[in-house]
Amino acid sequence: MPTKIVIYISKAVPDLARPDIERLMFEARGLNAINGVRGILTYDDRGFLQAIEGTSDAIDDIVARILADPRHCEIELLLDAPTDGLQFDSFTDVLCPPGKLADPAIFADWVLARLSGDVAAAIGRGYAMLGERQG
């Protein structure tokens, strides 16, 4: 079965409280586990960055739900590509303190050591874009 990876950044809508964000991340973890999706979902006060990989059908369904989810706004797709192998071992989520997600010290070493090519570049670009946002 064909696989693909999607990486995007988005902002939480202004009235989304921390418990709502925690619930969103919990829901994502559960849905991704059910669908065999791997990747990472990170959030701080500047926004979300998510990389998801799995079967093309599962990823397309998740992306459709994300695009329709009223808790996200300013969704920017950074990568949508077929893959010939999965780069993530599982699904991980990280809820960071305000302003820490885009701190290069938090994820740069992990991204560079773990991921390759277009995936690492898209995640690095996403963190840089989040770093330019006001919290």
Side-chain angles (χ1 to χ4, degrees):
M1 176 156 293
T3 59
K4 72 185 296 185
I5 187 163
V6 168
I7 301 171
Y8 73 91
I9 61 172
S10 68
K11 289 183 81 171
V13 293
D15 61 345
L16 204 64
R18 186 157 180 114
D20 299 319
I21 292 165
E22 290 170 355
R23 188 175 315 106
L24 182 151
M25 294 180 86
F26 178 79
E27 290 168 3
R29 192 178 322 125
L31 286 171
N32 290 344
I34 289 169
N35 291 299
V37 171
R38 302 172 180 193
I40 186 166
L41 171 60
T42 57
Y43 177 81
D44 77 359
D45 62 327
R46 297 168 195 250
F48 294 96
L49 183 143
Q50 183 163 221
I52 49 175
E53 65 179 3
T55 66
S56 295
D57 290 344
I59 298 302
D60 290 343
D61 288 346
I62 290 169
V63 169
R65 280 197 300 269
I66 290 165
L67 293 172
D69 190 327
R71 299 172 291 186
H72 291 269
C73 62
E74 297 181 36
I75 298 170
E76 295 184 54
L77 193 60
L78 303 173
L79 182 67
D80 182 346
T83 61
D84 56 2
L86 301 176
Q87 294 198 40
F88 293 91
D89 295 330
S90 62
F91 183 79
T92 304
D93 57 5
V94 180
L95 186 58
C96 297
K100 292 296 182 186
L101 178 62
D103 180 344
I106 298 289
F107 290 105
D109 290 339
W110 180 83
V111 168
L112 293 174
R114 258 328 260 151
L115 306 172
S116 62
D118 292 343
V119 174
I123 289 175
R125 188 170 66 252
Y127 285 137
M129 292 168 72
L130 290 174
E132 294 169 1
R133 290 183 175 173
Q134 297 298 317

